[in-house]
Structures are given as structure tokens and as C-alpha cells.
Amino acid sequence: MLEDQTAAAPHIPAQQHAADRSWPSEYPDGYAVVDVETTGLARDDRIVSAAVYQLDRHGEVQDHWYSPVNPQRDPGPVWIHGLTADVLADAPLFTDIADEFARRLADRVLVAHNAVFDWTMISREYARARGAAPVRQRLCTIALAKELALPLPNHKLESLAAHYGVQQRQAHHALDDARVLAEAFRPSLRLAASSGLRLPLLACQPLTEWSDRPAPAGRRTGGYAPRSWRPARPR
């Protein structure tokens, strides 16, 4: 099931124009806050759900989108992401959502918590689909929290959320994790802007190294054993 919500263009008050004048000119014009849930952490693992919150240059939400994804293999740690083989059997393949996903990412900085992981998984899925994600830069909210020296006990998403008073409703659900991160990123972004901080942006290079062969169970990151998987039902 796909979720798609586009907000109407808001009225821009006078104070917003004042904020524009004081906002760092080198900051990006928009962000795509992303979360993906996966079958695991290895090179052959696949995405089982993806969510994007589009934000404007000041971190305000413009819209959001979510889709489960049929990984065409065992769904992995169901006890974490909650997506069973039965649920995913009717979900779209990554190739089915690739264009819409790309449209949500295009011309924006990809923002994620531990962004190198999300970017790697997304880039490999596009490589399998014989394409490339339209992302040139990414921003890791862990790196940003460190740059801001936020007083966090650790750099887990729940700690960042608690720091800003953001309520988590369903941890490890891609849509809710993306919402939580978007709400926590906004005050971090504004704190960085008011401090004149240079954002920790990194270049995104498309990945060409990927595998469709599942690793042996004993070598799989996370230590879970493969379970039975049924191919997607006719669509």
C-alpha cells in the first residue's frame, strides 16, 4: 500500500521572509528525510519498506510518502520491522516504486540517521534495477548532532527524538521513523543555521557492487537464520 500526502502551498508570513534573509545562503534548498527497513545489513540484503518526508530549506514538511517493498526473498528480522512474508507477498517490487521514489529524492539532500546505511541500500536497489538514485549529497543526523554537541546519552534515534520531545509511535516502521527524524532534524537544522555551522554534507556516489546471492546464515549480520520465502503472487 502506498501513502502519498502533498501539502498545499502555505502562506509565507513576513517573519518568514526575514528568516530567509538571515538563513545561510549556502544551505540546501530542500531535503528528503529517508528511512528504509531491510532484510538485513549485508551486501545482498534488500529493502522491505521505504519512506520519504520532503522538507523545504527551513525544514518544514511539504509532503510524505511510504511503501512496503517485496524483497523477493526472506524478509529477515520480522521481529524488528514487523513485515512478514505474507504481508510483503502483495507489495510492489522495488522496480515498481523506483520512479516515484526517485521523484521524491530528486534535487534534494538525502537526510537519514546513519545515512551511509540508507544511502548504500537505496543505491544498491537502483543498481539492481539498472538505474541510479538522483541523489548527489547526503546528511547524517548523527554527524549533525555531534557537530552541534547535543547532550545526548548516545546517538540512537530515540535519544535524538527524546532530546527534542518528539514522540515515537511505532519504532522501526519506516514511515514513523522518517516522521520522527524529520521533526528532530528541523530544530537541529535551525540551530545549525543560527550558529552559522557548516552542514556535514557528503557526496553520494552511485554503487555498482551488489549481489543477489544470500550470504550463509552463519555469516549474516544480525545472526538470524533464513526462513522460508514464497515468491510474489501474480500481479
Side-chain angles (χ1 to χ4, degrees), residues 32-56:
V33 178
V34 172
D35 186 75
V36 297
E37 297 300 319
T38 68
T39 62
L41 309 177
R43 187 173 64 180
D44 62 284
D45 278 302
R46 306 293 302 271
I47 289 175
V48 295
S49 64
V52 182
Y53 265 73
Q54 289 186 319
L55 310 182
D56 67 15

Side-chain angles (χ1 to χ4, degrees), residues 156-215:
K156 295 180 179 180
L157 177 58
E158 52 263 38
S159 296
L160 182 64
H163 176 73
Y164 287 119
V166 179
Q167 182 181 5
Q168 288 186 291
R169 299 170 186 153
Q170 192 174 357
H172 300 295
H173 185 287
L175 183 61
D176 196 58
D177 279 358
R179 176 194 62 81
V180 168
L181 188 57
E183 292 185 16
F185 173 63
R186 185 184 309 113
S188 288
L189 177 64
R190 292 177 179 177
L191 179 58
S194 65
S195 304
L197 181 72
R198 182 177 180 180
L199 295 178
L201 301 175
L202 293 176
C204 289
Q205 299 296 330
L207 299 182
T208 57
E209 183 181 344
W210 54 274
S211 171
D212 277 329
R213 294 179 299 174

Side-chain angles (χ1 to χ4, degrees), residues 15-152:
Q15 59 267 31
Q16 183 66 67
H17 291 293
D20 283 336
R21 288 193 293 271
S22 63
W23 198 260
S25 60
E26 69 275 14
Y27 275 27
D29 288 331
Y31 304 88
V33 178
V34 172
D35 186 75
V36 297
E37 297 300 319
T38 68
T39 62
L41 309 177
R43 187 173 64 180
D44 62 284
D45 278 302
R46 306 293 302 271
I47 289 175
V48 295
S49 64
V52 182
Y53 265 73
Q54 289 186 319
L55 310 182
D56 67 15
R57 65 195 309 260
H58 297 288
E60 294 292 343
V61 174
Q62 295 174 304
D63 76 352
H64 67 256
W65 169 88
Y66 165 81
S67 179
V69 181
N70 184 336
Q72 299 180 286
R73 51 160 293 175
D74 180 88
V78 173
W79 59 93
I80 295 177
H81 54 61
L83 295 170
T84 65
D86 285 339
V87 169
L88 294 174
D90 289 326
L93 305 180
F94 186 83
T95 51
D96 297 328
I97 68 164
D99 288 345
E100 181 62 21
F101 197 7
R103 188 174 74 81
R104 302 281 169 167
L105 300 175
D107 301 319
R108 295 174 183 268
V109 169
L110 184 149
V111 177
H113 206 64
N114 188 18
V116 65
F117 172 75
D118 293 79
W119 164 247
T120 298
M121 298 302 299
I122 291 168
S123 186
R124 283 183 178 145
E125 288 288 7
Y126 275 98
R128 290 186 184 97
R130 303 297 188 266
V135 177
R136 289 187 288 182
Q137 288 182 306
R138 67 179 184 267
L139 188 157
C140 180
T141 48
I142 295 176
L144 181 57
K146 291 179 178 179
E147 291 285 341
L148 293 170
L150 298 181
L152 305 178

